[in-house]
Amino acid sequence: MAGTLSPWPQISQGAKEHPVPTLQYLLRARGKTVTVDGIFGPQTDAAVRAFQHDRGLKVDGIVGPKTWAALIIQVEEGAQGDAVRGVQEEFQFRNLSGDPSQGLAVDGIFGPETDAAVRGFQSAIHADVPSMAVDGIVGPMTWQALVSGMLSF
């Protein structure tokens, strides 16, 4: 039997660590001014609420499936910016070495190393979820698998 993706996480003010930095990078990619510090504090809450208002979503400050789906930006090799940093942050979260210099650099440039990491991740998810394409494109399914913490231990 084929597996399914883990559901989008639901986070709100007070959340810390994963996936808060990714949320903050995505908010920045969507034009909101927020510091990427891994803490869902008042500044992040205000940015989430403004984004929800802009998109006609329920303005509750809770980042759930609808808000995540509106926030994500499809990225692939050649892309640059904060959405790419969000993808790279997800791989840094999965870096179990404890040494950030050993993992994928969070530099906002979707180059060959980020592409290889994405394809490897997609391939591992594809083994359980056959509908996951292994194409190096971080679209809705790949974002959901990353943000929901799949393959992180």
Side-chain angles (χ1 to χ4, degrees), residues 128-146:
D128 287 330
V129 185
S131 57
M132 172 66 77
V134 182
D135 57 8
I137 298 169
V138 184
M141 281 188 76
T142 303
W143 271 115
Q144 183 175 338
L146 285 167

Side-chain angles (χ1 to χ4, degrees), residues 3-134:
T4 57
L5 292 179
S6 296
W8 288 103
Q10 184 167 303
I11 60 173
S12 57
Q13 191 163 338
K16 291 185 167 103
E17 307 306 324
H18 184 265
V20 177
T22 303
L23 166 66
Q24 291 168 329
Y25 280 123
L26 287 168
L27 285 166
R28 289 169 57 105
R30 292 293 188 177
K32 301 301 175 198
T33 303
V34 62
T35 303
V36 179
D37 60 5
I39 300 166
F40 196 137
Q43 183 191 44
T44 301
D45 182 67
V48 166
R49 289 172 187 272
F51 177 79
Q52 290 171 328
H53 177 267
D54 294 349
R55 289 300 174 108
L57 298 167
K58 180 178 177 186
V59 180
D60 57 7
I62 298 169
V63 182
K66 289 180 179 168
T67 301
W68 281 115
L71 271 169
I72 60 169
I73 296 170
Q74 182 170 301
V75 292
E76 59 190 284
E77 194 162 11
Q80 292 189 26
D82 282 321
V84 175
R85 284 184 187 89
V87 171
Q88 294 167 332
E89 173 66 35
E90 286 295 326
F91 287 103
Q92 194 55 253
F93 171 69
R94 288 164 174 78
N95 169 14
L96 301 179
S97 73
D99 179 357
S101 70
Q102 297 300 309
L104 190 64
V106 181
D107 61 7
I109 300 167
F110 200 131
E113 286 148 12
T114 301
D115 184 67
V118 168
R119 288 174 189 271
F121 179 79
Q122 289 173 329
S123 183
I125 297 292
H126 179 82
D128 287 330
V129 185
S131 57
M132 172 66 77
V134 182

